[in-house]
Amino acid sequence: MGVRRYGYHGISYESIVYQLQPNVPEKLIVAHLGNGASISAIRNGKCLDTSMALTPTSGIISGSRTGDIDPGIVIFILKKIAESTPNTLEAADKLETVVSQEIRAAGHQRTLQRHARPARCDQHGNAKAKLAVDKFTWTIARWIGSYVAELNGLDMLVFTGGIGEKRYQTRARKFAQGWRR
């Protein structure tokens, strides 16, 4: 079918590798964290893997992505849509709307967008915002951990993007938890 896995933060990752010249570490993980978020494993300056895929239904939960969705959920939703929509293309369009807009709007993503500053959720005692930020930081830890395994170690971890660069509280929270949920 000709589908390849491309991340949307490639320019950000390329910039980090460029800025690290001539001493690019062999085993590098870059976390681009903002309203959209992704993490890439980079070996010898070349991207080995990225958490982003073709659609917002995989990768890190963020203000613009649902994060990983069980494919069975998508099939279940499609069957429900097909009950009232016999046209296959129309059913596929409805499924795309449900998965990329309605699920995202109903889930943690909307809360993350409204509470873009993770510290706000603690300051205001908003339980939904705290849960969203906890889920966000947990998925970050999960992806970083898997990339440490994939790279067989880690020489450097770089945070970039609006949250990665400016929200030290989010980074500190994750490290203070000892990478546990």
Side-chain angles (χ1 to χ4, degrees):
M1 296 187 100
V3 177
R4 292 186 61 184
R5 187 178 185 109
Y6 284 106
Y8 286 92
H9 297 126
I11 292 172
S12 174
Y13 296 127
E14 185 178 17
S15 173
I16 295 297
V17 170
Y18 178 80
Q19 291 176 57
L20 291 171
Q21 298 288 341
N23 301 313
V24 178
E26 178 187 353
K27 301 169 186 177
L28 171 66
I29 296 174
V30 181
H32 182 103
L33 308 176
N35 189 43
S38 69
I39 299 177
S40 285
I42 299 169
R43 184 188 306 275
N44 297 319
K46 302 289 182 199
C47 184
L48 185 65
D49 201 354
T50 182
S51 63
M52 272 201 169
L54 181 65
T55 71
T57 60
S58 74
I60 299 168
I61 185 175
S62 67
S64 62
R65 302 181 75 76
T66 59
D68 292 332
I69 293 180
D70 179 342
I73 292 170
V74 176
I75 293 167
F76 175 82
I77 293 169
L78 180 58
K79 286 180 179 179
K80 290 292 184 188
I81 290 170
E83 289 173 4
S84 62
T85 311
N87 178 305
T88 307
L89 192 53
E90 189 178 330
D93 287 343
K94 283 186 180 181
L95 176 64
E96 183 178 21
T97 298
V98 168
V99 171
S100 66
Q101 295 173 15
E102 293 176 21
I103 290 176
R104 187 172 68 206
H108 296 304
Q109 299 74 22
R110 200 162 99 211
T111 304
L112 279 170
Q113 286 172 329
R114 282 186 297 200
H115 299 274
R117 295 187 186 129
R120 282 188 193 167
C121 70
D122 293 332
Q123 291 171 353
H124 302 295
N126 185 323
K128 284 185 179 181
K130 183 179 181 324
L131 176 62
V133 172
D134 286 349
K135 180 68 174 168
F136 176 66
T137 56
W138 179 80
T139 59
I140 293 166
R142 189 178 108 202
W143 280 96
I144 290 173
S146 70
Y147 287 159
V148 168
E150 190 171 345
L151 291 167
N152 196 27
L154 178 64
D155 297 324
M156 183 182 286
L157 174 61
V158 175
F159 290 95
T160 189
I163 295 171
E165 292 174 7
K166 299 175 183 102
R167 296 286 137 219
Y168 66 87
Q169 302 96 331
T170 302
R171 294 190 312 267
R173 173 184 296 182
K174 187 54 11 201
F175 287 109
Q177 291 174 350
W179 296 93
R180 62 180 160 67
R181 189 172 189 192

